[in-house]
Amino acid sequence: MKDEFYMDFALKLAQAAEGQTAPNPMVGAVIVKDGEIVGFGAHLKAGSPHAEVHALQMAGNRAKGSTVYVTLEPCSHYGKTPPCATALIESGVKRVVIATMDPNPLVAGKGIALLRDAGIEVTSGVLKKQADALNEAFFYFIQQQKPFITLKQAITLDGKISAQSGVGEQITGSEVQHDVHNDRGNHDAILVGIGTIFSDNPSLTNRLGKTKRQPIRIILDTHLRITNDKQVLTDGRAPTWIVTGSEVTVEKMASFQQPHVEIIQLSQPTIDINELLIELGKRQVMKLYVEGGKTVNASFLKSGSVNQLITYVAPKIVGGSEAVPMFGDLSVQQMTAAFKLKFQQIDVMGEDLKITSVLK
């Protein structure tokens, strides 16, 4: 049980840096000698020292003969920082306990092999399930080279996102608002369609979250209809990427030249979700938070690219034919063809429900 105790501490250290490390994983490390914690650390930001290095610096000479607990296999290659496996070997540690393997082809077992070749005892798989869940988005990004996508929406009990088209209204309570802003701060980018910009004129910023980190704002605007008075263009609080189709002219794109605004033109007249995600992957967007309207939501769901759904349900009923549903047309003609979900977690937030689900 000692291994589990110290690994749990390392996982908590890693979790504390959520939202800061992309496109790198969250990693925590703890160094123990003679039953005493002599060093610990977490990876805080891409390009900065890794968790093992912080822990070794704290431990100093006491690292020799120690046991190191690390939530992810130590790296074995030179990137922006030297390999952690080498640092562990040089410090003279006796044993390394690893929660889970690194799927990055540059590492993938090579870190463990280096440690064992140096005569260090290696134990792996301690609290693996928790470690895998912690870096689910990173693992997906490394393997697919596309962002991990959370489709978020707030709805009434009868599945409506607004009482009438073109009018944005707050559906849920303050507890949900704080939760959403925390999630925004933990994502690299937030995405909406141009319809949301016209109906709500949102800032798409993290104003209520625990951290001050601001996601990149991505607007799907096939024909570049956005006007220069919208908050995402005027406030300068975060980068804004506007994604257009291939038919938008160079002259029109040039009219939006601002330091925080970039136009991303795709190769087809209409926006293809898969092409978009490949482009975002190249731009190191690891976690994408989709807060679209019914059309954007339907496009992402039909593309098969949604990794999880977070749905906030308010105890309200709107009814009527004018109210806007969560999804547009999904080409479902019978119940057997419906998109099937698995509820993973249900939480009560004030008067509202938060349902986290995945596609089966």
Side-chain angles (χ1 to χ4, degrees):
M1 292 299 293
K2 287 193 298 183
D3 284 351
E4 285 78 4
F5 175 82
Y6 293 120
M7 188 62 76
D8 181 66
F9 179 32
L11 286 166
K12 287 181 171 66
L13 290 169
Q15 179 78 53
E18 184 177 11
Q20 297 182 185
T21 63
N24 289 357
M26 293 174 278
V27 183
V30 177
I31 300 178
V32 178
K33 187 173 185 180
D34 299 327
E36 178 185 354
I37 295 174
V38 296
F40 59 85
H43 180 50
L44 301 178
K45 188 177 181 181
S48 68
H50 291 183
E52 300 94 319
V53 174
H54 285 300
L56 287 170
Q57 287 174 345
M58 181 181 291
N61 293 332
R62 292 177 294 178
K64 188 172 183 179
S66 67
T67 295
V68 179
Y69 296 85
V70 62
T71 59
L72 187 67
E73 178 184 3
C75 61
S76 55
H77 64 289
Y78 281 87
K80 292 182 178 179
T81 59
C84 291
T86 301
L88 291 170
I89 293 167
E90 291 175 348
S91 68
V93 305
K94 181 180 180 181
R95 179 174 178 243
V96 176
V97 182
I98 298 166
T100 193
M101 303 278 283
D102 191 335
N104 188 336
L106 294 173
V107 184
K110 297 174 185 175
I112 289 177
L114 275 177
L115 295 172
R116 285 180 172 155
D117 287 347
I120 295 172
E121 178 187 348
V122 177
T123 301
S124 61
V126 175
L127 299 189
K128 181 180 187 302
K129 183 177 179 181
Q130 294 90 323
D132 287 345
L134 179 68
N135 278 308
E136 181 182 15
F138 168 73
F139 292 164
Y140 181 86
F141 177 73
I142 284 293
Q143 292 166 339
Q144 303 297 326
Q145 297 295 298
K146 297 178 185 178
F148 181 94
I149 296 172
T150 297
L151 195 156
K152 166 265 171 183
Q153 195 56 263
I155 62 172
T156 60
L157 186 60
D158 55 340
K160 308 302 184 183
I161 60 175
S162 64
Q164 56 181 304
S165 180
V167 179
E169 300 174 282
Q170 185 170 310
I171 295 173
T172 51
S174 60
E175 294 87 352
V176 166
Q177 304 308 310
H178 281 86
D179 196 57
V180 167
H181 283 245
N182 278 330
D183 268 352
R184 285 181 176 181
N186 289 331
H187 282 74
D188 304 307
I190 177 173
L191 181 147
V192 301
I194 188 60
T196 297
I197 298 298
F198 282 139
S199 64
D200 298 356
N201 189 23
S203 64
L204 301 178
T205 53
N206 164 29
R207 301 178 300 282
L208 305 173
K210 296 174 183 176
T211 71
K212 299 299 182 183
R213 182 173 184 260
Q214 297 296 342
I216 299 163
R217 303 175 290 196
I218 301 175
I219 318 299
L220 302 188
D221 186 4
T222 302
H223 305 293
L224 198 53
R225 295 187 292 131
I226 193 169
T227 52
N228 279 306
D229 60 337
K230 301 307 178 188
Q231 287 195 79
V232 291
L233 299 182
T234 61
D235 64 15
R237 295 185 63 188
T240 298
W241 297 350
I242 305 174
V243 181
T244 75
S246 61
E247 294 180 349
V248 175
T249 64
V250 173
E251 291 76 19
K252 193 170 187 179
M253 289 189 289
S255 66
F256 290 91
Q257 287 185 347
Q258 296 182 57
H260 70 286
V261 177
E262 182 177 356
I263 309 296
I264 300 174
Q265 188 171 39
L266 301 183
S267 66
Q268 301 179 45
T270 57
I271 293 172
D272 177 78
I273 298 298
N274 190 57
E275 182 184 4
L276 167 66
L277 297 180
I278 291 172
E279 178 63 27
L280 295 182
K282 292 177 181 177
R283 291 168 176 258
Q284 301 296 291
V285 174
M286 186 173 83
K287 295 177 68 178
L288 178 64
Y289 199 57
V290 176
E291 287 195 57
K294 67 175 185 177
T295 302
V296 168
N297 290 345
S299 295
F300 271 88
L301 195 62
K302 289 165 70 175
S303 73
S305 57
V306 175
N307 297 96
Q308 71 172 0
L309 294 90
I310 293 179
T311 311
Y312 299 98
V313 184
K316 300 174 182 177
I317 295 175
V318 175
S321 59
E322 299 299 319
V324 182
M326 179 178 176
F327 290 100
D329 181 29
L330 293 172
S331 303
V332 174
Q333 302 298 322
Q334 52 191 5
M335 198 56 67
T336 54
F339 289 81
K340 297 176 178 63
L341 304 175
K342 178 181 179 181
F343 291 158
Q344 291 191 312
Q345 187 170 332
I346 300 176
D347 301 295
V348 177
M349 310 201 78
E351 295 184 346
D352 307 308
L353 292 180
K354 177 183 180 181
I355 302 173
T356 304
S357 57
V358 295
L359 290 160
K360 283 187 175 179

